[in-house]
Amino acid sequence: MARAGRRVMQDEVLIWGAGAIGGILGAYWARAGHPVRMVDIVPEHVTACRSEGLRIEGPVEQFTQVVDCVTPDELVGTYSRVVLAVKAQATEAAVQALLPHLAEDGFILSAQNGLNERVIAALAGPERTMGAFVNYGADWIEPGRILFGNRGAVVVGEIDGSTRDRTREMHQLLQVFEPDAILTDDIWAYLWGKLGYGAMLFATALTEDSMTANFADPARSAAFAGLAREVMRTAAAEGVDPKPFNGFEPSAFMPGAPEEAALKSIADLAAFNAKTAKTHTGIYRDLAVRKRKTEVDPQVGTITEIAAAHGLETPLLTRLVALIHDIEDGRRPMSADTFHELTKVIQ
């Protein structure tokens, strides 16, 4: 295959990371005729995507699409639009690797979980950073195969709250994949909402149970609510008013909110996740299937650091980070007993 990108690819979208998030975006955009190139570090996956094609499977839609894909060492040229879709802990290294391929007037859109826009902005510059929120369910199964388990909220916005031509263009491009994608002037509100939900999802990975089974267990509700409250309290200290999505209602976990509101949101999350073919989180797959480190430090750990800077204590989030590390390092099993180490914090 000829080496890619021998000129400035002004119209081509570069997706750095062709896994569950980036791979689905790339397949949909390529199928719709938009010029797209993906970069991935797994050679077998790269070969599959650009030869036999990337297979998207699951209840939402099934199709196979050939997508131009290269390894980082094969990539040359510069790009005006780069979508970053790697695990949060790989953000810094990925940005350093892609910066030589980013046009001077280009930007990096973070299609990740966490507050990675902060890392990207520090390395590439705030003007070359755009935020996105994605909540669709997907899993990388094996080279050339991705499960698309369910649709979910997709939001895009500038990190400074402005709306520009490039923001509208990326919104239109995201609508190719998700017709209900939202263009916002407050992307941080969605990112912090996802952090609250994300902390709860990390807790579900302390067990082998599905997301729905976790959220439907009344004995676990106090821990879930407590985690979300710590995140929402930190968001409020940051001056952010998180937005609701897909069953997660941030206001239900704000100081002074009634217990009934928290329980209703948790029940709504159980109902939302009952409709997906993605029964377990990517965190669970990292621990139980792929046997690798999770995103707990750059996601949950970052919240504890921000909270501490505001003088806030986060005992549940801090314990959650420690428990995930225990499972990663083989000190604890994934079990209900491990989950209830969280419950002990609030008893």
Side-chain angles (χ1 to χ4, degrees), residues 95-96 99 116-127 129 159:
V95 172
Q96 294 284 15
L99 275 177
N116 301 290
E117 288 80 356
R118 292 156 51 116
V119 178
I120 298 167
L123 295 170
E127 283 295 311
T129 305
I159 63 173

Side-chain angles (χ1 to χ4, degrees), residues 80-99:
S80 296
R81 300 178 292 175
V82 178
V83 175
L84 185 61
V86 299
K87 291 288 187 178
Q89 64 267 36
T91 300
E92 183 172 352
V95 172
Q96 294 284 15
L98 70 83
L99 275 177

